[in-house]
Amino acid sequence: MKNRTKILFAETFERMIKTTPIDKIRIVDLCKKCNTIPQTFYYHFHDKYELIAWIFLRDFSRTYDADTPEYSISSIVDNLTNMNKLRSFYQKTYTDDSQNSINQYIQKFNLETAKIAVETVFKTSLSRKQLYEIKYHSYGTMGLFKEWLDDDTFISITDLATFQYDHTPEFLKIAYQNFSFKDTKFVK
């Protein structure tokens, strides 16, 4: 039931953002369209930016919450293909540069999940050098992702996935290939 309510809010928000800028969407209006009250929304989400983050996690988990971990060009293609289905939604949420923007959320998500994966798989703390490599990789990946969102002729999904995989630091590839995202607090 809890997830059904979240899905209702997500689907309604996705429809609203097609015609209304993100900064103009009010929780009261979202709740009216869902035939519920704001308290119900706030039971599940802190604000609309947390809802946007949940939508991203839902899309991410469609690929990466399997019991058998896989980090490959194919899994990245699957993830980008899922996100491409909501391309307009992601384009509109990426134009928002507020304190709680989806880009900032995904950067934080990338860093935290990489840290957990590396430390879990290698059973050691993340080194400063590894942290810098993860950040460099994440910032580059997200920059290319944004360019791809803005112009789908810029690079194909397969080429973007191949480039991302080929430029993933080796230690991070190993960690991702041996780590189940399903067990993290992020993918629930």
Side-chain angles (χ1 to χ4, degrees):
M1 186 69 176
K2 187 176 181 180
N3 264 349
R4 269 194 259 165
T5 304
K6 288 181 175 183
I7 291 167
L8 173 64
F9 283 126
E11 290 174 348
T12 304
F13 188 86
E14 289 164 10
R15 283 192 303 275
M16 289 176 74
I17 204 167
K18 288 178 181 176
T19 59
T20 308
I22 192 170
D23 62 333
K24 303 291 185 212
I25 295 176
R26 298 176 338 142
I27 300 305
V28 171
D29 298 330
L30 174 64
C31 290
K32 282 181 185 174
K33 290 184 181 293
C34 293
N35 294 319
T36 188
I37 57 175
Q39 289 86 339
T40 304
F41 176 87
Y42 290 115
Y43 174 78
H44 297 285
F45 303 105
H46 177 71
D47 56 23
K48 61 187 166 189
Y49 299 101
E50 190 173 308
L51 171 59
I52 293 167
W54 186 86
I55 293 168
F56 162 74
L57 286 176
R58 178 197 63 192
D59 291 345
F60 178 85
S61 68
R62 287 180 177 150
T63 301
Y64 293 106
D65 75 344
D67 290 325
T68 307
E70 179 191 354
Y71 180 73
S72 63
I73 293 169
S74 175
S75 67
I76 298 168
V77 166
D78 287 347
N79 191 40
L80 289 171
T81 300
N82 284 331
M83 295 180 91
N84 194 42
K85 292 174 186 170
L86 287 175
R87 182 184 207 93
S88 176
F89 168 79
Y90 282 108
Q91 285 171 329
K92 290 178 182 194
T93 57
Y94 259 81
T95 61
D96 179 67
D97 289 326
S98 69
Q99 178 180 343
N100 297 320
S101 73
I102 188 65
N103 187 43
Q104 290 178 358
Y105 177 83
I106 293 174
Q107 289 291 0
K108 183 179 176 185
F109 171 82
N110 286 345
L111 295 175
E112 288 181 19
T113 54
K115 180 181 187 294
I116 292 168
V118 169
E119 290 179 348
T120 300
V121 170
F122 293 109
K123 304 206 183 320
T124 184
S125 295
L126 193 66
S127 73
R128 187 178 226 65
K129 183 178 185 269
Q130 288 173 320
L131 177 62
Y132 293 150
E133 287 184 61
I134 291 167
K135 285 183 176 184
Y136 190 80
H137 176 68
S138 179
Y139 297 150
T141 299
M142 294 314 300
L144 285 175
F145 175 73
K146 183 169 182 351
E147 286 187 37
W148 170 75
L149 270 180
D150 292 340
D151 178 9
D152 65 348
T153 62
F154 163 70
I155 190 170
S156 72
I157 288 176
T158 302
D159 289 344
L160 181 57
T162 301
F163 189 85
Q164 179 180 335
Y165 182 81
D166 289 347
H167 289 84
T168 302
E170 282 304 313
F171 74 91
L172 193 54
K173 277 184 193 174
I174 293 167
Y176 283 162
Q177 289 166 344
N178 293 285
F179 179 74
S180 175
F181 289 96
K182 188 175 189 175
D183 298 329
T184 69
K185 66 179 181 174
F186 306 108
V187 180
K188 296 288 180 202

